[in-house]
Amino acid sequence: MYDPNNIFARILRGELPCNKVYEDADTMAFMDIMPQSDGHVLVVTKEPAAELFDLSDAGAEAAIRTTKRVARAVRAAFSPDGISIGQFNGAAAGQTVPHVHFHIVPRYAERTLRGHGSDMQDPEILSQHAERIVAALREA
Ligand code: AMP
């Protein structure tokens, strides 16, 4: 069921690069490479699970703890008007990477969201955005 070669599993193993903003024993957070808005971060579990239902309770707790912590830093770094937090289970729900993850998507009143997984961000901009979040986490 779980594909150990999905993109996020490979990022977790260090086989693919990412713009990491946070890591602890149970989770990692990095910039979405096709952000729907500036500051869009993904929180992934280290526990191998395709969907939320496959995750242990401890894994789910760790994921939401990190999501809250990183979302607070995203809010401090980008001052959005709001933040959407989302998690998709199954292709029919819009899940494209079969490893459980939470989206932290800042919302800006005057800007419409970009498409889900549609436009690659300039790597330099992504790196700058990651630095802003890392700095906010350091100050938290
Ligand atoms: P979902 O559709 O909920 O499974 O979300 C997968 C997300 O992963 C999408 O928003 C993609 O833009 C994002 N994504 C895909 N490949 C990468 C990657 N290599 N690094 C960071 N984000 C990625």
Side-chain angles (χ1 to χ4, degrees), residues 7-8 11 16-18 30-35 40 42 88 94-98 101 103 116-118:
I7 294 171
F8 294 168
I11 288 175
L16 292 175
C18 73
F30 49 84
M31 304 309 293
D32 193 305
I33 206 168
M34 294 172 267
H40 182 169
L42 301 172
F88 306 150
Q95 184 177 15
T96 57
V97 179
H101 55 279
H103 292 263
H116 177 65
S118 58

Side-chain angles (χ1 to χ4, degrees), residues 37-89:
S37 66
D38 290 355
H40 182 169
V41 173
L42 301 172
V43 175
V44 305
T45 60
K46 291 191 177 177
E47 184 179 330
E51 298 185 356
L52 185 63
F53 315 105
D54 307 320
L55 197 58
S56 68
D57 286 350
E61 283 167 18
I64 201 67
R65 207 178 300 119
T66 295
T67 299
K68 185 179 175 190
R69 182 171 185 168
V70 174
R72 194 181 276 129
V74 168
R75 188 177 57 170
F78 289 85
S79 303
D81 298 297
I83 296 187
S84 297
I85 292 175
Q87 191 274 320
F88 306 150
N89 299 284

Side-chain angles (χ1 to χ4, degrees), residues 2 12 23-28 44-49 99:
Y2 178 77
L12 285 167
E23 182 172 10
D24 62 24
D26 303 307
T27 61
M28 189 190 285
V44 305
T45 60
K46 291 191 177 177
E47 184 179 330
H99 182 113

